Coordinates of all heavy atoms in Angstrom, one line a residue:
T1 N -50.0 -72.7 21.4 CA -49.3 -73.9 21.8 C -49.3 -74.1 23.3 O -49.7 -73.2 24.1 CB -47.9 -73.9 21.3 OG1 -47.2 -72.8 21.9 CG2 -47.8 -73.9 19.8
A2 N -48.9 -75.2 23.8 CA -49.0 -75.6 25.2 C -48.1 -74.7 26.1 O -48.4 -74.6 27.3 CB -48.6 -77.1 25.4
D3 N -47.1 -74.1 25.6 CA -46.3 -73.2 26.4 C -46.8 -71.7 26.4 O -46.2 -70.8 26.9 CB -44.8 -73.3 25.9 CG -44.7 -72.9 24.5 OD1 -45.7 -72.6 23.8 OD2 -43.5 -72.9 24.0
D4 N -47.9 -71.5 25.7 CA -48.5 -70.2 25.6 C -49.3 -69.9 26.9 O -50.1 -70.8 27.3 CB -49.4 -70.1 24.4 CG -49.9 -68.7 24.1 OD1 -50.5 -68.0 25.0 OD2 -49.6 -68.2 23.0
P5 N -49.2 -68.8 27.6 CA -50.0 -68.5 28.7 C -51.5 -68.6 28.5 O -52.3 -68.8 29.4 CB -49.6 -67.1 29.2 CG -48.9 -66.5 28.0 CD -48.3 -67.6 27.2
R6 N -51.9 -68.5 27.2 CA -53.4 -68.5 26.9 C -53.9 -69.9 26.7 O -55.1 -70.2 26.6 CB -53.7 -67.8 25.6 CG -53.3 -66.3 25.6 CD -53.4 -65.7 24.2 NE -52.3 -66.2 23.4 CZ -52.2 -66.0 22.1 NH1 -53.1 -65.2 21.5 NH2 -51.2 -66.5 21.3
Y7 N -53.0 -70.9 26.7 CA -53.4 -72.3 26.4 C -54.4 -72.9 27.3 O -55.4 -73.4 26.8 CB -52.1 -73.2 26.4 CG -52.4 -74.6 26.1 CD1 -52.6 -75.1 24.8 CD2 -52.5 -75.6 27.1 CE1 -52.9 -76.4 24.5 CE2 -52.8 -76.9 26.8 CZ -52.9 -77.3 25.5 OH -53.3 -78.7 25.3
E8 N -54.3 -72.7 28.6 CA -55.2 -73.4 29.6 C -56.6 -72.8 29.4 O -57.6 -73.5 29.5 CB -54.7 -73.2 31.0 CG -55.5 -74.0 32.0 CD -55.4 -75.5 31.8 OE1 -54.4 -76.0 31.2 OE2 -56.4 -76.1 32.2
D9 N -56.7 -71.5 29.1 CA -58.0 -70.9 28.8 C -58.6 -71.4 27.5 O -59.7 -71.8 27.4 CB -57.9 -69.4 28.8 CG -59.2 -68.7 28.5 OD1 -60.1 -68.8 29.3 OD2 -59.3 -68.1 27.4
A10 N -57.7 -71.6 26.5 CA -58.2 -72.0 25.2 C -58.7 -73.3 25.2 O -59.7 -73.7 24.5 CB -57.0 -71.8 24.2
V11 N -58.1 -74.3 25.9 CA -58.6 -75.7 25.9 C -59.8 -75.9 26.8 O -60.4 -76.9 26.9 CB -57.5 -76.6 26.4 CG1 -56.4 -76.6 25.3 CG2 -56.9 -76.4 27.7
R12 N -60.3 -74.8 27.5 CA -61.5 -74.9 28.3 C -62.6 -74.1 27.8 O -63.5 -73.7 28.5 CB -61.1 -74.5 29.8 CG -60.2 -75.5 30.5 CD -60.1 -75.1 32.0 NE -59.2 -76.1 32.7 CZ -59.7 -77.3 33.2 NH1 -60.9 -77.6 33.0 NH2 -58.8 -78.1 33.8
Q13 N -62.6 -73.8 26.5 CA -63.6 -73.0 25.9 C -64.8 -73.7 25.5 O -65.9 -73.1 25.1 CB -63.0 -72.3 24.7 CG -62.1 -71.2 25.0 CD -62.7 -70.1 25.8 OE1 -63.7 -69.5 25.4 NE2 -62.0 -69.7 26.9
G14 N -64.9 -75.0 25.7 CA -66.1 -75.8 25.4 C -67.2 -75.5 26.4 O -66.9 -75.2 27.6
F15 N -68.5 -75.5 26.0 CA -69.5 -75.1 26.8 C -69.7 -76.1 28.0 O -70.0 -75.7 29.1 CB -70.8 -75.0 26.0 CG -72.0 -74.5 26.8 CD1 -72.1 -73.1 27.1 CD2 -73.0 -75.3 27.2 CE1 -73.1 -72.6 27.8 CE2 -74.1 -74.8 27.9 CZ -74.2 -73.5 28.3
N16 N -69.5 -77.4 27.7 CA -69.5 -78.4 28.8 C -68.2 -78.5 29.5 O -67.3 -79.1 28.9 CB -70.0 -79.8 28.2 CG -70.3 -80.7 29.3 OD1 -70.1 -80.5 30.5 ND2 -70.8 -81.9 28.9
Q17 N -68.1 -78.0 30.7 CA -66.9 -77.9 31.4 C -66.4 -79.3 32.0 O -65.4 -79.4 32.6 CB -67.0 -76.9 32.5 CG -67.0 -75.4 32.0 CD -65.7 -75.0 31.3 OE1 -64.7 -74.8 32.0 NE2 -65.7 -74.9 30.0
R18 N -67.2 -80.3 31.7 CA -66.7 -81.7 32.1 C -65.5 -82.0 31.2 O -64.7 -82.9 31.7 CB -67.8 -82.7 31.8 CG -68.8 -82.8 32.9 CD -69.9 -83.8 32.5 NE -69.3 -85.2 32.2 CZ -69.8 -86.0 31.2 NH1 -70.8 -85.7 30.5 NH2 -69.2 -87.2 31.1
F19 N -65.3 -81.4 30.1 CA -64.3 -81.8 29.2 C -63.3 -80.7 29.0 O -63.6 -79.5 28.7 CB -64.9 -82.2 27.8 CG -65.9 -83.3 27.9 CD1 -67.3 -83.1 27.9 CD2 -65.4 -84.6 28.0 CE1 -68.2 -84.1 28.0 CE2 -66.3 -85.7 28.1 CZ -67.7 -85.4 28.2
R20 N -62.0 -81.1 29.0 CA -60.9 -80.1 28.8 C -60.2 -80.7 27.5 O -59.8 -81.9 27.5 CB -60.0 -80.1 30.0 CG -58.7 -79.3 29.7 CD -57.7 -79.5 30.9 NE -56.5 -78.8 30.6 CZ -55.5 -79.2 29.9 NH1 -55.6 -80.4 29.3 NH2 -54.4 -78.5 29.9
S21 N -60.0 -79.9 26.5 CA -59.2 -80.4 25.4 C -57.8 -80.7 25.7 O -57.2 -80.0 26.6 CB -59.2 -79.3 24.3 OG -60.5 -79.0 23.8
D22 N -57.3 -81.8 25.2 CA -55.9 -82.2 25.4 C -55.0 -82.1 24.2 O -54.1 -82.9 24.0 CB -55.8 -83.6 26.1 CG -56.5 -84.6 25.2 OD1 -57.0 -84.3 24.1 OD2 -56.5 -85.8 25.6
V23 N -55.4 -81.2 23.3 CA -54.7 -81.1 22.0 C -53.3 -80.6 22.2 O -52.9 -79.9 23.2 CB -55.5 -80.2 21.0 CG1 -56.8 -80.9 20.7 CG2 -55.7 -78.8 21.6
D24 N -52.5 -80.8 21.2 CA -51.0 -80.3 21.2 C -51.0 -78.8 21.0 O -50.2 -78.1 21.6 CB -50.2 -81.0 20.1 CG -50.2 -82.5 20.2 OD1 -50.1 -83.0 21.4 OD2 -50.3 -83.2 19.2
Y25 N -51.9 -78.3 20.1 CA -52.0 -76.9 19.9 C -53.3 -76.6 19.2 O -54.0 -77.5 18.8 CB -50.8 -76.3 19.1 CG -50.7 -76.8 17.7 CD1 -51.3 -76.2 16.6 CD2 -49.9 -77.9 17.4 CE1 -51.2 -76.6 15.3 CE2 -49.8 -78.4 16.1 CZ -50.4 -77.7 15.0 OH -50.3 -78.2 13.8
L26 N -53.7 -75.3 19.2 CA -54.9 -74.8 18.6 C -54.6 -73.9 17.5 O -53.7 -73.0 17.6 CB -55.8 -74.2 19.7 CG -56.3 -75.0 20.9 CD1 -55.3 -74.7 22.1 CD2 -57.6 -74.6 21.3
C27 N -55.4 -73.9 16.4 CA -55.2 -73.0 15.3 C -56.5 -72.2 15.2 O -57.5 -72.6 15.4 CB -55.0 -73.8 14.0 SG -53.4 -74.6 13.9
Y28 N -56.3 -70.9 14.8 CA -57.4 -69.9 14.6 C -57.3 -69.3 13.2 O -56.9 -68.2 13.1 CB -57.3 -68.9 15.8 CG -57.5 -69.4 17.1 CD1 -56.4 -69.9 17.8 CD2 -58.8 -69.4 17.7 CE1 -56.6 -70.4 19.1 CE2 -58.9 -69.9 19.0 CZ -57.8 -70.4 19.7 OH -58.0 -70.9 20.9
P29 N -57.7 -70.1 12.2 CA -57.7 -69.5 10.9 C -58.7 -68.3 10.7 O -59.7 -68.3 11.3 CB -58.2 -70.7 10.0 CG -58.9 -71.6 10.8 CD -58.3 -71.4 12.2
A30 N -58.2 -67.4 9.9 CA -59.1 -66.2 9.6 C -59.8 -66.4 8.3 O -60.8 -65.6 8.1 CB -58.2 -64.9 9.6
D31 N -59.4 -67.3 7.5 CA -60.1 -67.5 6.2 C -59.8 -68.9 5.7 O -59.2 -69.7 6.4 CB -59.6 -66.4 5.2 CG -58.1 -66.4 5.0 OD1 -57.5 -67.5 5.2 OD2 -57.6 -65.3 4.7
T32 N -60.3 -69.2 4.5 CA -60.2 -70.5 4.0 C -58.8 -70.9 3.7 O -58.3 -72.1 4.0 CB -61.0 -70.7 2.7 OG1 -62.4 -70.4 3.0 CG2 -60.9 -72.0 2.1
A33 N -58.0 -70.0 3.2 CA -56.6 -70.3 2.9 C -55.8 -70.7 4.2 O -55.0 -71.6 4.2 CB -55.9 -69.1 2.2
E34 N -56.1 -70.0 5.2 CA -55.4 -70.4 6.5 C -56.0 -71.6 7.1 O -55.2 -72.4 7.7 CB -55.7 -69.2 7.5 CG -54.9 -68.0 7.2 CD -54.8 -66.9 8.3 OE1 -55.5 -67.2 9.4 OE2 -54.2 -65.9 8.2
A35 N -57.2 -72.0 6.8 CA -57.7 -73.3 7.2 C -57.0 -74.4 6.5 O -56.7 -75.5 7.1 CB -59.3 -73.3 7.1
V36 N -56.9 -74.2 5.2 CA -56.2 -75.2 4.4 C -54.7 -75.4 4.9 O -54.2 -76.5 5.1 CB -56.1 -74.8 2.9 CG1 -55.1 -75.7 2.1 CG2 -57.5 -74.8 2.3
A37 N -54.0 -74.3 5.2 CA -52.7 -74.4 5.8 C -52.6 -75.1 7.1 O -51.7 -75.9 7.3 CB -52.1 -73.0 5.9
A38 N -53.6 -74.9 7.9 CA -53.7 -75.5 9.3 C -53.8 -77.0 9.1 O -53.2 -77.8 9.8 CB -54.8 -74.9 10.1
V39 N -54.7 -77.4 8.2 CA -54.9 -78.9 8.0 C -53.6 -79.5 7.4 O -53.2 -80.6 7.9 CB -56.1 -79.1 7.1 CG1 -56.2 -80.6 6.8 CG2 -57.4 -78.6 7.8
D40 N -53.0 -78.8 6.4 CA -51.8 -79.3 5.8 C -50.7 -79.5 6.9 O -50.0 -80.5 6.9 CB -51.3 -78.3 4.7 CG -51.7 -78.8 3.3 OD1 -51.9 -80.0 3.1 OD2 -51.8 -77.9 2.4

């Protein structure tokens, strides 16, 4: 989430550094079930 010290690094992981993600938070699913939960 945005209050996590890893957030600024996480939103700059795109190869083209012209763009910085401005998402509310990032999810890292480990499998399909977690991906379903993230979308839900």
Side-chain angles (χ1 to χ4, degrees):
T1 57
D3 58 357
D4 189 303
R6 298 169 296 173
Y7 178 81
E8 189 60 30
D9 179 66
V11 295
R12 292 189 177 276
Q13 288 299 306
F15 188 71
N16 189 352
Q17 291 291 291
R18 281 177 55 214
F19 301 100
R20 172 192 179 277
S21 298
D22 57 1
V23 293
D24 301 321
Y25 64 90
L26 303 92
C27 291
Y28 296 86
D31 55 29
T32 300
E34 289 191 0
V36 171
V39 174
D40 261 336

